Amino acid sequence: MIDHYDWAGGREAMLRFGPADGPVIVAALPLFEEANRTRTFVVALLRALAERGIAGALPDLPGQGESCLATEKVSLMDIRDGFEAACARIARPVYALGIRSGALLDTLAPAEGRWHFASQSGPELLRELKRMAPAAASLDDCWWAAADVTEIAGNRISIAILSALEGVTPFGPEDELPLRVVRHESDPKPADLKVPGSPLWRRAEPDNDPALAALLADDIAAWVRACEG
């Protein structure tokens, strides 16, 4: 079902999946190019959750996806405000699902808990963006500072977002809300669960992994039911 939510900057679309009652998983795609590479997979994951009796939602966040706002016109706070508004639109218990840098976007969400897959910090994302920006190869860590907007992998990105990413990290275990972190087996960072498979965001073209989507849906469904008591 296609739904919508309103935030201070306008109205954005939101896909809805699954039953009309019970808790809802609200997903945040990674920022910028990785969103294109993971969207089909996240839709498959939310559909798999619906088959397990858990509802889901995938909002278009300000300046991302099919948003009417250009990426270069939004700040990190705008995107976080959009995710908060999408969660607030749902009058049911909400759990935030963050993929990669999507785990940086749920800080304001009225969520009962957070489930992060391969979560990434702001500085880690900046390092990856620098590798994709040919003109930045010989510059220092503030390689974007010479302009108000820079283009990376076809995305015109505001300097406000890049500057804000310098010091942000996903919520950690010290957060008061339930948090579960899942990573690939190839990822050396600590996690509550390690799963097989190759990172979709590393592939040359957008792709899907139905087996991984089913595995993660099993984990999310069990985790949500445990949180709900």
Side-chain angles (χ1 to χ4, degrees):
M1 178 180 76
I2 299 178
D3 195 2
H4 70 272
Y5 69 93
D6 295 306
W7 70 291
R11 174 168 289 188
E12 303 287 357
M14 178 164 59
L15 296 178
R16 301 285 295 270
F17 306 82
D21 56 7
V24 182
I25 293 288
V26 182
L29 295 174
L31 292 166
F32 315 133
E33 177 59 25
E34 287 191 0
N36 298 327
R37 299 178 187 275
T38 56
R39 184 180 180 87
T40 298
F41 171 73
V42 172
V43 169
L45 174 56
L46 294 176
R47 285 176 173 160
L49 278 169
E51 292 171 357
R52 290 156 176 78
I54 302 292
L58 178 59
D60 276 333
L61 298 178
Q64 311 297 300
E66 300 301 318
S67 171
C68 293
L69 289 175
T71 304
E72 64 190 86
K73 300 295 184 182
V74 298
S75 67
L76 182 62
M77 185 57 69
D78 288 333
I79 302 172
R80 287 173 164 175
D81 285 346
F83 190 77
E84 177 188 22
C87 291
R89 160 83 171 169
I90 299 168
R92 293 151 62 182
V94 162
Y95 291 83
L97 184 160
I99 307 289
R100 296 282 281 163
S101 57
L104 302 173
L105 307 180
D106 60 19
T107 55
L108 304 177
E112 303 294 323
R114 297 176 174 87
W115 188 96
H116 291 164
F117 182 48
S119 53
Q120 183 183 43
S121 71
E124 288 169 336
L125 174 56
L126 284 174
R127 286 195 292 272
E128 294 206 354
L129 292 174
K130 183 176 181 180
R131 286 196 291 269
M132 290 188 287
S138 63
L139 303 181
D140 61 19
D141 288 340
C142 293
W143 46 272
W144 61 79
D148 294 329
V149 175
T150 189
E151 184 167 332
I152 304 173
N155 293 283
R156 287 178 58 80
I157 302 172
S158 73
I159 303 313
I161 290 183
L162 296 177
S163 298
L165 287 171
E166 287 187 280
V168 297
T169 58
F171 274 107
E174 69 279 359
D175 182 31
E176 295 180 359
L177 294 176
L179 170 67
R180 184 165 176 81
V181 178
V182 178
R183 297 186 182 278
H184 282 295
E185 292 171 343
S186 58
D187 189 336
K189 294 179 185 176
D192 298 298
L193 175 68
K194 295 288 184 83
V195 296
S198 61
L200 292 166
W201 48 90
R202 301 292 188 208
R203 299 182 185 178
E205 298 292 339
D207 204 352
N208 195 9
D209 188 337
L212 180 60
L215 179 62
L216 296 184
D218 285 339
D219 186 73
I220 295 169
W223 175 73
V224 167
R225 290 185 175 117
C227 291
E228 292 287 291

